[in-house]
């Protein structure tokens, strides 16, 4: 609990105050936020993170992939009130709709960035969906939604790294 | 004053979508007529539009591409089929080069949001006894009551062009122009009359490529029913489901008695077309499988128990009641947890009675674990252990504790399509 509190607090104090001002003054606030975050100590961790065009991120450790939504996606969604990640033992295919996040009145679909079997859904986030909005990217530890054992590790090559994802945000969103 | 239930606030989700355009009313635009021959059972418009016959669906792949702006008026009043058409268009439609407005209404029904607890939002048993359908939609938001005095508008767009404030402004502007109503769109994307009364609730579903936003327009809804049915009799209910926000509602016909289904549809369509410079209205029957391949299955999915009731997020209930057991007044307390529509755990505590009842109660708990949380199923489970014969007093006390929930009611069962 102490760690949790510290993480949330850290995310807020580092980011919220200054970024609120930034967000109000620039239309590309999310890009500015991400650029600034590169200077944080999460940089090395972010380098291992891959992104899908549907704004999910994935980090692979052996066969286990951890999945969450990008800072950009959570910012676009606004206050998340309900999280429905896929349940453990669910077979998921790449780009398949596997769950949803509800940010008041709008249900946004979650897509799996890879193919495999879900091993765990993040109970902490399910119990408190607002945590996703606290996204302490400064520590390189945004909240994850589910973990899965991947069956097609090669799919990772088709995903974007941090730099490519930033370009994707600038160019296509 | 009456209550309606709706969802809570919404933040800047569509920050990236196209900017809100200012509506400018073009006077005297009446376009060439092509009166639909199949119009007799529908409405007669004051304005006249191009009518097309049917949407283009590629039957081999069941894909559908919308080009330009179109309006579909749905000819069925069945909530499950109307929601199924939304599902079908969401799954099969391509809106990169076009947008679609669906206008539809339903026979009396209760429609809950995707992540809501149906037990917390409405009076299920009363609704089913009265033949009022209960449906869970795929979009977020709160619970609403529909009947023929409520017009639903669904705006289909690409994900990039999703902008519900814009959609609501189109409707608000239409109503302001025609009936001089004092309408505003709130921060929560509710449409308010005189800054106080809600006349429209909103919800949306966003996918990667396609998004839809639907809203209600209350023009002559049976408010007594709305008030009664959107009130859950269940006490002591706890869950993490999204809750509805109660609002004061008002029917538009109270403000101007010329507002009815026909005039409202006509008004909304004319403003939508003014905004988009395209005039094409289509009457669509969502029950036509040949027109929308696979829609029957989508309708079945929306109608099944597991989706409507079983999809409620996990919840717990606390009940208690007093009753006589063996001549001694006893107090029964129940704590039930329900997950995926089934009883995951049940604790019962009896105070002030003989120990023999407690043994029987332990047996009851064991029987009920895993049982579907539904009156008929719980009743059958208890009857199968012959509780009503072995201990009519305990049976009566448990039933009292459930506040009459256990009464078997075949009529209710007929309304539910089971997927066991």
């Amino acid at each position: 609990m102490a760690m949790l509190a510290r993480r949330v607090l850290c995310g807020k104090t580092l980011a919220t105050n200054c970024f609120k001002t930034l967000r109000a003054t620039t239309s590309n606030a999310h890009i500015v936020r991400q650029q600034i975050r590169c200077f944080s100590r999460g940089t090395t961790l972010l380098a291992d993170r891959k992104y899908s065009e549907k704004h999910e991120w994935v980090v692979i450790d052996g066969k286990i992939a951890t999945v969450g939504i990008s800072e950009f996606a959570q910012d676009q969604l606004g206050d998340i009130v309900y999280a429905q990640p896929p349940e453990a033992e669910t077979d998921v295919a790449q780009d398949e709709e596997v769950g949803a996040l509800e940010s008041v009145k709008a249900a946004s679909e979650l897509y799996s960035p890879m193919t495999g079997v879900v091993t765990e859904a993040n109970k902490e986030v399910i119990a408190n969906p607002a945590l996703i909005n606290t996204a302490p990217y400064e520590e390189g530890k945004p909240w994850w939604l589910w973990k899965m054992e991947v069956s097609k590790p090669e799919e990772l090559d088709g995903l974007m790294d941090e730099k490519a994802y930033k370009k994707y945000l600038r160019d296509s969103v | 004053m009456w209550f309606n239930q709706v969802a809570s606030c919404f933040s800047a989700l569509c920050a990236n979508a196209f900017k809100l355009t200012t509506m400018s009313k073009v006077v005297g635009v009446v376009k060439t007529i092509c009166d639909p021959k199949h119009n007799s059972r529908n409405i007669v418009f004051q304005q006249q539009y191009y009518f097309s016959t049917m949407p283009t669906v590629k039957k081999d792949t069941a894909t559908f591409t919308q080009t330009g702006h179109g309006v579909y008026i749905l000819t069925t009043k069945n909530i499950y089929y109307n929601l199924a058409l939304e599902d079908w268009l969401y799954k099969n439609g391509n809106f990169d080069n076009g947008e679609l407005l669906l206008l539809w209404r339903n026979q009396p029904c209760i429609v809950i949001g995707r992540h809501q607890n149906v037990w917390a939002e409405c009076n299920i048993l009363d609704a089913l006894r009265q033949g009022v359908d209960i449906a869970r939609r795929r979009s977020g938001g709160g619970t609403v009551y529909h009947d023929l005095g409520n017009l639903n508008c669904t705006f289909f767009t690409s994900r990039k062009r999703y902008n519900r404030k814009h959609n609501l402004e189109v409707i608000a502007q239409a109503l302001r122009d025609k009936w001089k109503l004092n309408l505003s769109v709130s921060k929560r994307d509710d449409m308010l009359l005189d800054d106080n009364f809600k006349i429209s609730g909103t919800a949306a579903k966003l996918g990667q490529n396609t998004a839809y936003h639907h809203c209600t327009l209350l023009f002559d809804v049976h408010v007594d029913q709305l008030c009664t049915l959107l009130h859950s009799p269940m006490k002591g209910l706890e869950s993490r489901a999204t809750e509805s926000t109660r609002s004061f509602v008002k029917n538009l016909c109270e403000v101007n008695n010329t507002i009815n289904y026909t005039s409202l549809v006509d008004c909304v369509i004319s403003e939508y077309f003014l905004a988009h410079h395209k005039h094409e209205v289509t009457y669509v029957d969502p029950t036509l499988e040949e027109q929308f391949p696979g829609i029957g299955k989508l309708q079945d999915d929306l109608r099944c128990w597991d989706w409507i009731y079983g999809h409620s997020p996990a919840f717990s209930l606390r009940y208690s009641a007093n009753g006589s057991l063996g001549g001694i007044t006893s107090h029964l307390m129940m704590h039930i947890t329900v997950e995926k529509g089934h009883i995951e755990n049940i604790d019962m505590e009896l105070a002030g009675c003989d120990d023999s009842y407690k043994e029987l109660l332990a047996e009851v708990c064991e029987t009920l674990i895993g049982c579907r949380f539904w009156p008929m199923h719980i009743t059958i489970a208890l009857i199968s252990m012959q509780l009503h014969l072995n201990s009519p007093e305990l049976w009566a006390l448990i039933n009292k504790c459930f506040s009459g929930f256990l009464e078997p009611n075949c009529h209710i069962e007929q309304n539910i399509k089971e997927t066991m």
Side-chain angles (χ1 to χ4, degrees):
Chain A
M1 279 310 286
M3 272 193 60
L4 171 75
R6 202 173 62 217
R7 197 193 288 183
V8 173
L9 201 64
C10 189
K12 289 213 162 187
T13 45
L14 271 174
T16 316
N17 295 336
C18 58
F19 290 134
K20 265 186 184 167
T21 336
L22 275 173
R23 205 192 299 199
T25 52
T26 171
S27 59
N28 285 325
H30 61 273
I31 296 168
V32 177
R33 291 172 79 178
Q34 298 220 345
Q35 283 166 351
I36 288 174
R37 280 162 189 186
C38 289
F39 296 107
S40 72
R41 62 199 174 97
T43 310
T44 50
L45 286 164
L46 285 176
D48 302 328
R49 204 175 298 277
K50 292 284 194 105
Y51 294 84
S52 74
E53 289 183 0
K54 298 173 177 69
H55 308 287
E56 271 85 22
W57 58 256
V58 58
V59 172
I60 288 261
D61 182 9
K63 273 192 159 184
I64 300 296
T66 306
V67 182
I69 62 162
S70 74
E71 164 69 353
F72 170 78
Q74 76 79 20
D75 191 51
Q76 287 277 293
L77 285 170
D79 296 338
I80 295 167
V81 296
Y82 194 90
Q84 185 209 332
E87 293 175 3
E89 296 177 26
T90 311
D91 287 319
V92 294
Q94 189 176 37
D95 295 336
E96 184 189 17
E97 284 186 7
V98 293
L101 294 176
E102 181 165 340
S103 57
V104 200
K105 295 188 180 184
S108 297
E109 298 302 325
L110 288 169
Y111 297 86
S112 181
M114 297 185 78
T115 304
V117 184
V118 177
T119 54
E120 187 184 356
N122 191 342
K123 290 193 175 66
E124 216 173 335
V125 161
I126 293 172
N128 185 6
L131 287 174
I132 299 166
N133 292 116
T134 66
Y137 256 65
E138 295 73 24
E139 293 189 13
K141 290 177 184 170
W143 291 95
W144 58 278
L145 289 169
W146 73 92
K147 295 190 181 196
M148 56 191 281
E149 188 176 328
V150 297
S151 54
K152 295 179 181 171
E154 67 276 11
E155 286 172 345
L156 196 67
D157 302 332
L159 299 176
M160 295 174 276
D161 61 14
E162 186 77 15
K163 195 177 161 189
Y165 180 62
K166 274 182 195 165
K167 187 173 183 307
Y168 171 71
L169 287 182
R170 274 196 301 271
D171 296 347
S172 19
V173 182
Chain B
M1 299 296 185
W2 303 102
F3 291 111
N4 185 15
Q5 285 183 313
V6 287
S8 29
C9 64
F10 170 73
S11 58
L13 208 144
C14 42
N16 217 41
F18 65 107
K19 284 185 181 172
L20 197 74
T21 50
T22 314
M23 295 292 105
S24 57
K25 183 86 177 174
V26 183
V27 182
V29 177
V30 178
K31 290 290 178 183
T32 322
I33 320 134
C34 175
D35 196 45
K37 285 176 183 167
H38 53 292
N39 191 21
S40 56
R41 61 190 162 138
N42 293 300
I43 53 177
V44 178
F45 291 106
Q46 291 166 11
Q47 301 228 15
Q48 293 163 325
Y49 310 104
Y50 290 116
F51 287 87
S52 68
T53 45
M54 278 296 180
T56 322
V57 177
K58 285 184 188 168
K59 288 185 180 165
D60 48 341
T61 52
T63 55
F64 162 83
T65 305
Q66 174 69 24
T67 40
H69 290 78
V71 172
Y72 287 1
I73 296 174
L74 309 192
T75 57
T76 174
K77 295 180 179 67
N78 178 303
I79 179 65
Y80 303 109
Y81 266 109
N82 287 333
L83 289 177
L85 182 64
E86 287 187 335
D87 259 12
W88 192 93
L89 288 167
Y90 173 81
K91 285 180 203 298
N92 303 303
N94 180 324
F95 299 91
D96 289 342
N97 299 309
E99 296 182 12
L100 198 55
L101 168 64
L102 312 186
L103 297 172
W104 46 289
R105 57 179 177 162
N106 301 305
Q107 295 292 348
C109 62
I110 294 165
V111 189
I112 64 168
R114 173 159 166 178
H115 298 124
Q116 291 202 293
N117 181 353
V118 62
W119 298 102
E121 297 298 334
C122 59
N123 192 328
I124 295 172
L125 302 187
D126 269 5
L128 297 179
R129 279 181 197 120
Q130 294 173 31
V132 173
D133 288 329
I134 297 176
R136 181 186 295 274
R137 58 177 187 263
R138 307 283 185 192
S139 61
T143 303
V144 284
Y145 170 78
H146 292 186
D147 60 22
L148 294 179
N150 174 65
L151 175 69
N152 301 291
C153 308
T154 310
F155 296 84
F156 270 93
T157 60
S158 64
R159 173 68 182 83
K160 281 185 182 174
R161 291 180 68 82
Y162 161 76
N163 186 339
R164 42 192 218 192
K165 279 249 186 295
H166 168 82
N167 302 336
L168 292 169
E169 270 305 327
V170 169
I171 295 176
Q173 192 60 42
L175 302 182
R176 280 187 209 117
D177 286 350
K178 187 158 185 178
W179 288 293
K180 313 294 176 219
L181 301 175
N182 176 19
L183 289 178
S184 54
V185 178
S186 74
K187 283 181 184 170
R188 298 149 47 86
D189 288 349
D190 292 332
M191 212 184 295
L192 301 178
L193 181 71
D194 300 331
D195 298 325
N196 202 14
F197 299 101
K198 184 165 160 178
I199 59 151
S200 167
T202 268
K205 177 175 158 85
L206 314 180
Q208 194 208 2
N209 301 317
T210 301
Y212 65 82
H213 157 219
H214 44 201
C215 63
T216 56
L217 265 180
L218 281 69
F219 63 92
D220 192 11
V221 161
H222 196 317
V223 277
D224 287 339
Q225 277 285 71
L226 182 153
C227 189
T228 314
L229 293 177
L230 297 191
H231 181 82
S232 169
M234 286 203 167
K235 307 277 183 262
L237 212 152
E238 285 175 23
S239 88
R240 58 186 175 81
T242 55
E243 287 177 19
S244 298
T245 306
R246 287 175 177 269
S247 311
F248 295 117
V249 301
K250 201 170 199 173
N251 276 318
L252 287 171
C253 71
E254 285 179 53
V255 191
N256 186 322
N257 61 12
T258 65
I259 302 179
N260 54 36
Y261 175 68
T262 308
S263 61
L264 202 55
V265 167
D266 190 37
C267 174
V268 171
I269 291 180
S270 61
E271 188 70 33
Y272 184 74
F273 285 153
L274 278 177
H276 299 298
H277 312 291
K278 180 85 191 276
H279 296 232
E280 193 171 279
V281 176
T282 312
Y283 285 95
V284 167
D285 182 355
T287 64
L288 296 177
E289 185 75 23
E290 63 272 25
Q291 191 64 45
F292 305 105
I295 199 163
K297 168 76 168 60
L298 295 176
Q299 188 260 168
D300 282 347
D301 292 347
L302 284 162
R303 199 183 269 274
C304 81
W305 193 95
D306 283 342
W307 172 248
I308 303 169
Y309 301 94
H311 195 76
S312 290
F315 63 94
S316 68
L317 281 161
R318 283 181 196 280
Y319 285 135
S320 64
N322 288 323
S324 174
L325 290 178
I328 305 165
T329 303
S330 308
H331 183 68
L332 175 65
M333 284 187 296
M334 278 199 277
H335 183 221
I336 305 171
T337 53
V338 179
E339 199 169 331
K340 291 181 188 164
H342 290 74
I343 296 175
E344 191 200 37
N345 194 32
I346 180 163
D347 288 321
M348 291 192 182
E349 274 184 50
L350 255 181
C353 69
D354 193 90
D355 278 356
S356 63
Y357 285 105
K358 292 180 181 170
E359 283 169 25
L360 198 54
L361 209 59
E363 201 185 324
V364 170
C365 289
E366 203 176 306
T367 306
L368 290 183
I369 287 175
C371 177
R372 179 181 285 204
F373 188 72
W374 192 248
M376 183 65 89
H377 292 73
I378 296 174
T379 308
I380 289 171
L382 294 176
I383 288 174
S384 68
M385 63 177 282
Q386 301 200 314
L387 184 69
H388 60 302
L389 300 175
N390 295 338
S391 175
E393 283 184 327
L394 185 59
W395 162 258
L397 181 55
I398 290 176
N399 199 8
K400 189 177 172 188
C401 212
F402 270 107
S403 311
F405 179 78
L406 295 187
E407 285 171 321
N409 189 326
C410 292
H411 176 67
I412 290 172
E413 292 305 307
Q414 283 165 6
N415 280 289
I416 308 289
K417 178 163 178 154
E418 302 274 348
T419 50
M420 299 291 283

